[in-house]
Amino acid sequence: MALTADFGPRDIATQIERTGIKGRNLIFIDDYSQEELSNIFKTAEMLEPYYRNRIPLLEGKVLCTQFFQPSTRTRFSHETAMFRLGGNVITESNPLVSSSAAKGESLADALIVTSEYADVIVLRHPDDAVADEVAELAGKTVPIISGGYGNVTHPTQGLLDMYTAYRAFGGDFTKMTVMIATPDLSRARSGQSFGLGLARMGAKIIYAGTTGLETPDVIRDKLKAMNANFTEVNDLTIAQHEQMIADEGVDYIYLPGCSVKKGDPGRDEFLKKMAEFYFTLDGLEKIEKKTGKVVGITHSLPRNAGEFDFAIDESKHQLYFKSIGFSVALRMSLLANICGV
């Protein structure tokens, strides 16, 4: 390790100041630089001991969670993070019924009004166009964090998946190869956010999907702008997926779950195609025997029967439930860095 002028005991306030994202929105992961992302992860490591405790960095601050779509993990983890940081939470989980949105209030007006009550907002919305609308509100609202917009961006989930990989595989993304595998890459907002973050940090990415449901152009353009090391393959069998994982030295398999609601014909179509994306414990063990590598596997959750082998739950390959344990510390880091201390 090379000595630097700022070498000394770790101090959380100094670390947050070093990150330098105070007051910034988060819409796409690539809104942040490689250095900023790295500092978010360093802050999260410092906050891990407090994820079931309390450190009053944001005492007196208020988080508002405004969710126009259902959520368990994203909403609860941000709210828990704010409580662990000593702040408070106001929440709206059904705004089309119980807020002024039911009276026709525009989203822009709602966010401007909410900004008079809160210091930071986490917003989830089903419309991709919200990304542009939030960007146009810069300077009129408090910082807004995307808790998922439409089909293309879910940066806080992507950050969590990155942080899990960072902790599991030693922190050097340039040495990681990740496969993002799903029948529908066009609506895999968590997987696409993960991919953008991996690209920003220099990882190798393999997208595996099906013809006609490829990665959206907005994501593909961002990847190309970053000169990302990525490929996309379609219509592989499960045996071909497993062979590619072994041949390419994949470290981590990411399965974006089905985002299509029950009752939508697209959901049944998604699940029909899952057979060729159905990773099993036996398959992962065969890859380990062949390559000597323990491949991690995660899923965006919630999961459905038929998406992958639940026998993986109790194995060393499982990272989907373990990632939940990192979610509060990661979101504590994000909130503390954006609010400032």
Side-chain angles (χ1 to χ4, degrees):
M1 181 182 75
L3 288 176
T4 59
D6 60 355
F7 173 71
R10 289 185 175 182
D11 174 73
I12 189 68
T14 301
Q15 172 57 43
I16 290 169
E17 184 177 353
R18 182 180 295 122
T19 305
I21 61 169
K22 182 178 179 179
R24 301 249 305 267
N25 288 343
L26 176 56
I27 299 174
F28 288 95
I29 284 189
D30 63 315
D31 292 343
Y32 293 164
S33 69
Q34 187 177 97
E35 184 178 4
E36 287 164 347
L37 291 171
S38 180
N39 277 312
I40 289 170
F41 301 146
K42 289 176 182 177
T43 309
E45 280 194 280
M46 295 176 73
L47 289 169
E48 272 187 33
Y50 304 97
Y51 90 103
R52 283 200 177 271
N53 236 308
R54 187 174 182 275
I55 179 170
L57 296 176
L58 296 185
E59 197 156 16
K61 299 290 187 182
V62 175
L63 162 69
C64 176
T65 49
Q66 291 180 256
F67 278 62
F68 288 77
Q69 286 180 300
S71 172
T72 299
R73 283 155 291 276
T74 302
R75 185 163 70 89
F76 282 3
S77 60
H78 280 95
E79 292 176 355
T80 301
M82 184 53 106
F83 285 131
R84 299 300 189 203
L85 290 166
N88 294 288
V89 174
I90 55 176
T91 187
E92 177 52 79
S93 60
N94 196 10
L96 293 176
V97 173
S98 55
S99 82
S100 290
K103 304 175 188 177
E105 183 173 45
S106 70
L107 179 63
D109 284 358
L111 293 170
I112 291 170
V113 168
T114 303
S115 293
E116 295 298 320
Y117 308 132
D119 298 283
V120 60
I121 296 168
V122 178
L123 172 68
R124 171 171 285 191
H125 201 280
D127 188 351
D128 294 345
V130 165
D132 294 331
E133 191 168 355
V134 168
E136 290 171 2
L137 287 172
K140 298 179 182 178
T141 69
V142 296
I144 298 173
I145 297 169
S146 167
Y149 297 160
N151 293 319
V152 297
T153 183
H154 191 350
T156 65
Q157 178 66 50
L159 278 172
L160 171 57
D161 296 320
M162 289 179 70
Y163 185 59
T164 304
Y166 172 91
R167 293 285 278 103
F169 301 109
D172 187 350
F173 287 93
T174 64
K175 295 179 180 178
M176 295 182 204
T177 299
V178 179
M179 174 179 278
I180 299 170
T182 174
D184 189 354
L185 284 165
S186 71
R187 291 190 279 195
R189 67 185 182 185
S190 61
Q192 298 297 356
S193 292
F194 187 28
L196 286 180
L198 291 168
R200 178 64 85 197
M201 301 302 285
K204 179 180 177 182
I205 312 157
I206 300 169
Y207 290 98
T210 56
T211 299
L213 296 170
E214 292 95 346
T215 294
D217 287 342
V218 64
I219 302 297
R220 193 179 297 276
D221 290 345
K222 285 175 171 290
L223 291 168
K224 290 177 180 177
M226 287 187 279
N227 295 314
N229 181 4
F230 80 102
T231 56
E232 187 166 333
V233 295
N234 291 314
D235 309 320
L236 300 186
T237 65
I238 187 62
Q240 289 172 324
H241 279 125
E242 291 175 351
Q243 186 64 48
M244 177 172 271
I245 289 164
D247 291 346
E248 296 292 334
V250 170
D251 300 288
Y252 198 20
I253 303 166
Y254 186 78
L255 307 177
C258 182
S259 61
V260 184
K261 290 184 178 180
K262 289 183 177 180
D264 187 316
R267 183 182 180 87
D268 294 335
E269 190 62 27
F270 180 97
L271 294 174
K272 282 179 187 176
K273 294 176 180 177
M274 277 308 305
E276 303 304 344
F277 298 84
Y278 188 85
F279 293 94
T280 64
L281 179 58
D282 181 62
L284 294 173
E285 289 176 342
K286 286 179 180 177
I287 292 168
E288 182 184 1
K289 188 174 182 181
K290 182 177 181 179
T291 66
K293 178 174 289 190
V294 177
V295 178
I297 187 165
T298 196
H299 186 280
S300 60
L301 301 178
R303 62 184 181 175
N304 299 281
E307 291 191 81
F308 63 94
D309 180 8
F310 289 3
I312 296 169
D313 286 5
E314 305 303 322
S315 76
K316 56 192 172 185
H317 303 277
Q318 182 268 115
L319 289 171
Y320 35 91
F321 290 134
K322 290 175 183 174
S323 72
I324 302 302
F326 292 114
S327 65
V328 174
L330 184 279
R331 272 119 190 198
M332 289 171 74
S333 171
L334 187 61
L335 290 170
N337 278 301
I338 286 177
C339 289
V341 298

